[in-house]
Amino acid sequence: LGTSHISKESIEKVRKITKESKYDIIALELDSSRIKSLFSEKNTNIVFLIKNLGLKGALFALTASYIQKKLGKYTGIDPGSEMKEAIKIARRQNIKIALIDQPIQITIKKLTSQITRKEKFTFLKEILFFPYYRKKYIHFDIKKVPSQKVIEQLVNIIKEQYPTVYRILIEERNKIMAKNLNKLIYLNNNKILAIVGAGHIEGIMGELKSTKN
């Protein structure tokens, strides 16, 4: 199931799919630290972030969190609410939960150590001159899960302008999540529901088909 992490539609889709069919395992695009933060009411301590992610990693995590919260405020949905709903449903129905994503600490450390100066400059330029670039951006309703066409366009833009970001945040994680799903498939004779961001669906499916072949 492909979702948007700040959309009410995603929460409704999670409820609908778990109501229509019974699953033995719900696999989520999460790791242990992110699942804890979803249910924590405390703000993450900056010292803790620096200790675990380094200064650059902590700054990236705080920036990403700020942007997500801003977008979530606009849509009226807290970031990750669909994942939280899936966990609540799994606990109520006694369904096993599997965390299939790479630990966030590894992802952020890789990104902050490998991102190029050119990508940093491009990002800063687009932030500063956003009004002038507005026409070239893809317009879609962030309150809904984007269509496959829009997702492909967005992924292609990231791939072209931010190749390191694409490789670490999307491509590598697709492979890791597909690998972890494969383990679940072959170790369990069960019905599995995987819930991930819509931008990961095509990549994960490609990896699964490749492994199967």
Side-chain angles (χ1 to χ4, degrees):
L1 176 67
T3 68
S4 164
H5 301 315
I6 51 168
S7 123
K8 185 179 179 181
E9 182 187 10
S10 293
I11 300 171
E12 291 168 353
K13 283 188 172 186
V14 168
R15 288 171 180 163
K16 186 172 184 287
I17 198 169
T18 50
K19 189 176 181 180
E20 289 177 346
S21 188
K22 173 68 178 174
Y23 295 92
D24 302 296
I25 299 172
I26 295 180
L28 301 171
E29 181 201 335
L30 290 173
D31 62 281
S32 57
S33 60
R34 280 154 71 200
I35 203 171
K36 286 177 185 175
S37 67
L38 272 181
F39 289 91
S40 174
E41 295 181 0
K42 297 179 182 178
N43 291 324
T44 307
N45 188 292
I46 183 66
V47 176
F48 174 83
L49 286 175
I50 294 172
K51 185 178 178 181
N52 285 272
L53 303 174
L55 181 59
K56 289 182 181 178
L59 289 173
F60 175 83
L62 289 171
T63 303
S65 176
Y66 173 78
I67 292 169
Q68 272 208 323
K69 284 178 181 176
K70 271 284 186 183
L71 292 172
K73 193 173 182 181
Y74 171 75
T75 63
I77 300 295
D78 291 332
S81 289
E82 90 284 17
M83 297 287 175
K84 199 171 180 178
E85 183 65 20
I87 293 163
K88 290 178 180 177
I89 290 169
R91 287 172 177 171
R92 282 200 305 267
Q93 298 182 10
N94 200 27
I95 301 170
K96 291 179 182 177
I97 296 170
L99 308 180
I100 59 172
D101 202 0
Q102 176 174 252
I104 189 67
Q105 295 92 335
I106 294 174
T107 303
I108 291 177
K109 282 181 179 179
K110 274 187 178 183
L111 184 62
T112 53
S113 65
Q114 296 178 36
I115 191 168
T116 64
R117 287 183 180 180
K118 183 181 177 182
E119 287 170 279
K120 290 177 185 176
F121 177 74
T122 301
F123 179 72
L124 183 61
K125 183 176 69 174
E126 294 206 348
I127 289 292
L128 291 174
F129 299 102
F130 175 74
Y132 303 100
Y133 289 110
R134 187 172 300 195
K135 287 183 180 179
K136 83 169 189 175
Y137 286 101
I138 299 164
H139 297 279
F140 63 95
D141 187 355
I142 66 169
K143 293 183 179 181
K144 297 181 179 180
V145 180
S147 67
Q148 188 56 40
K149 183 181 178 181
V150 168
I151 290 168
E152 287 174 6
Q153 289 175 318
L154 292 170
V155 170
N156 284 335
I157 288 171
I158 295 170
K159 191 174 183 178
E160 181 182 338
Q161 296 187 1
Y162 305 97
T164 308
V165 175
Y166 169 78
R167 176 171 54 82
I168 294 171
L169 291 189
I170 300 176
E171 190 175 44
E172 288 185 4
R173 287 173 60 223
N174 285 345
K175 291 178 180 179
I176 288 164
M177 287 190 279
K179 184 180 178 181
N180 288 330
L181 275 174
N182 254 323
K183 286 180 184 177
L184 289 176
I185 291 164
Y186 287 105
L187 292 176
N188 300 276
N189 186 24
N190 293 318
K191 191 170 183 180
I192 303 165
L193 168 64
I195 302 174
V196 300
H200 291 289
I201 289 286
E202 189 175 349
I204 291 175
M205 291 303 296
E207 291 291 331
L208 288 173
K209 288 174 183 176
S210 174
T211 305
K212 187 177 179 181
N213 291 336

